[in-house]
Amino acid sequence: MTEEQHSSYHPPLPPTTEEDRFSWLRLLRSRRVGPTTFRRLLSEHGTAQNALAALPEVARAAGEKDYEICPAGVIDAELKVAKAAKAQLLCLGDALYPKFLADISDAPPLLWAIGDTSLLNRSMIAMVGARNCSSLGARMARALAHDLGAKDNVIVSGLARGIDTAAHLASLKTGTVAVMAGGVDVVYPSENAGLANDIAHQGLRVSEQPMGMRPQARHFPRRNRIISGMSQAVIVVEAAAKSGSLITARDALDQGREVLAVPGHPFDARAAGCNMLIRDGAQLVRTADDVIAALPMQEPEQLDLDQVLQEAPRPPQKRSLQETAQLHTQILNRLGPSPVAEDQLIRDLQASAGDVGPALVDLELDGKINRQAGGLLSLAH
């Protein structure tokens, strides 16, 4: 079955018991089982338990000799480490699992998360760029992250040096998600240990890798698809012509996400990738407003008809001729030759502007009151 066919799959039903979650972990941690194979096995066998039972035979049919599924002890150890780290397991299909990420063809079946998972229900925008960024690039990343956060967007990045660090720092208070290349409990680079700790308390850290996994070179491109997959759009602030940031941009395009780039000087190699993206059709970014304008329109919320009717302004009730005459008399008694402000008159009468306004028009047309500049009223001579 091709990867394209998998992209039309609905997410599998999430595990509902601890045994189911254990089996999902065990299946995913088994050798040569990645996200696509995991979904195929679950589709063919119905449950992770059934897939685990069938996996050795499936492996033999594929030419794998002496295949063994992941030992239960390995999963016990991972769960123990996760509990100590206060990590939460998010399963594909769960209500907490990122909605946009669930739509990509190779969505990770499981994510470990440390921090505030409610951030996953908000609008998310990814920001990536050079590790050896310029001071101007870092300043731009901070400004964009701050301003987008102020507009209720969560900033997603990879906790790397440079642009990632600037973006996370500027969005700590408004919402930031760090997607880790290794285990969610393994901070890389080590210089960002303090930032990672702050994100765990104020934001969210996520990873598809096993707890305790040291990041390896092959993990970073896989991590990048999660950064773009979680987000509505990806902003590239600074990137060389061949860089991980451009891999993220390509992932975003493949996933149908908006790709935006901050332009740079043609002589600056750190801007070459951004300039290439803009040349090839990426939207140019100067401010957060450019990003907001590029975001796809959100589905309008369903209106509660009863609430709308309750909140809708009521048409003014018609007054009887006697009530109208009484109001006219009260107005004339309050007015004299000295001008009075209309709003003061309304307060003195302890009536609504909706009632007094039409009465004033009637009296003015009858020639009984004069209206002067500045909203002042007086009796006609």
Side-chain angles (χ1 to χ4, degrees):
M1 188 172 288
T2 66
E3 190 72 19
E4 287 75 12
Q5 287 173 300
H6 281 290
S7 66
S8 63
Y9 274 19
H10 293 293
L13 292 175
T16 56
T17 67
E18 289 301 316
E19 182 182 1
D20 289 338
R21 297 165 82 84
F22 189 96
S23 297
W24 271 46
L25 262 176
R26 195 176 182 191
L27 179 61
L28 190 61
R29 300 299 185 237
S30 294
R31 190 160 50 91
R32 297 190 66 177
V33 177
T36 301
T37 302
F38 179 95
R39 295 175 75 168
R40 177 172 62 82
L41 289 170
L42 231 58
S43 175
E44 292 175 354
H45 300 283
T47 67
Q49 290 92 330
N50 292 341
L52 284 167
L55 192 52
E57 182 57 37
V58 172
R60 276 194 294 271
E64 282 279 332
K65 296 180 179 180
D66 302 322
Y67 183 90
E68 293 183 0
I69 63 176
C70 178
V74 172
I75 304 305
D76 284 328
E78 182 171 355
L79 291 172
K80 185 177 180 180
V81 173
K83 184 177 181 180
K86 298 181 179 179
Q88 183 176 351
L89 190 61
L90 308 180
C91 302
L92 185 62
D94 279 343
L96 283 177
Y97 192 94
K99 179 181 65 174
F100 277 83
L101 185 61
D103 290 337
I104 71 173
S105 61
D106 55 350
L110 298 167
L111 286 172
W112 281 115
I114 298 177
D116 182 5
T117 54
S118 70
L119 295 176
L120 299 175
N121 294 322
R122 291 169 51 192
S123 168
M124 290 186 280
I125 298 173
M127 191 177 302
V128 296
R131 287 173 171 80
N132 62 331
C133 65
S134 66
S135 59
L136 195 59
R139 179 179 165 190
M140 184 66 172
R142 288 194 297 270
L144 286 172
H146 174 274
D147 294 348
L148 289 169
K151 295 178 183 292
D152 201 32
N153 295 285
V154 173
I155 301 301
V156 182
S157 200
L159 199 63
R161 298 181 182 94
I163 296 299
D164 291 20
T165 296
H168 285 308
L169 284 170
S171 56
L172 259 177
K173 293 182 180 179
T174 53
T176 194
V177 176
V179 184
M180 319 281 282
V184 73
D185 57 331
V186 179
V187 177
Y188 179 86
S190 57
E191 67 199 56
N192 274 348
L195 174 59
N197 184 62
D198 289 341
I199 293 174
H201 288 91
Q202 297 176 254
L204 183 68
R205 288 162 30 193
V206 299
S207 175
E208 67 175 331
Q209 298 299 334
M211 301 294 299
M213 171 70 74
R214 303 297 305 176
Q216 302 172 27
R218 59 188 172 85
H219 294 154
F220 289 91
R222 301 293 296 163
R223 182 273 308 272
N224 293 345
R225 87 188 193 287
I226 299 176
I227 293 175
S228 56
M230 294 176 72
S231 310
Q232 294 185 76
V234 174
I235 308 168
V236 185
V237 178
E238 280 187 342
K242 295 181 179 180
S243 65
S245 299
L246 292 194
I247 294 175
T248 309
R250 284 196 295 271
D251 286 338
L253 291 172
D254 292 342
Q255 294 162 351
R257 307 296 190 251
E258 294 292 334
V259 175
L260 308 96
V262 175
H265 195 283
F267 288 166
D268 188 347
R270 290 170 295 199
C274 291
N275 292 339
M276 287 167 53
L277 287 172
I278 294 169
R279 179 199 64 191
D280 295 338
Q283 301 204 45
L284 185 149
V285 173
R286 299 161 300 174
T287 67
D289 288 337
D290 292 332
V291 181
I292 299 299
L295 293 179
M297 293 293 291
Q298 297 296 302
E299 290 293 325
E301 294 183 6
Q302 293 294 324
L303 294 178
D304 185 330
L305 184 58
D306 290 337
Q307 182 179 356
V308 171
L309 291 175
Q310 289 174 8
E311 294 176 353
R314 305 283 183 184
Q317 294 182 343
K318 290 187 176 180
R319 303 176 65 88
S320 68
L321 291 176
Q322 183 179 1
E323 290 172 333
T324 302
Q326 288 175 348
L327 181 58
H328 285 185
T329 301
Q330 290 171 353
I331 291 172
L332 293 173
N333 288 340
R334 289 280 178 178
L335 292 177
S338 300
V340 175
E342 182 175 337
D343 58 349
Q344 182 61 51
L345 174 66
I346 292 171
R347 285 195 295 271
D348 291 342
L349 293 169
Q350 296 183 344
S352 70
D355 289 333
V356 176
L360 291 175
V361 173
D362 291 341
L363 292 170
E364 186 178 5
L365 292 174
D366 289 342
K368 294 180 179 179
I369 65 172
N370 291 327
R371 190 183 296 272
Q372 303 175 25
L376 297 177
L377 303 166
S378 64
L379 283 177
H381 298 299

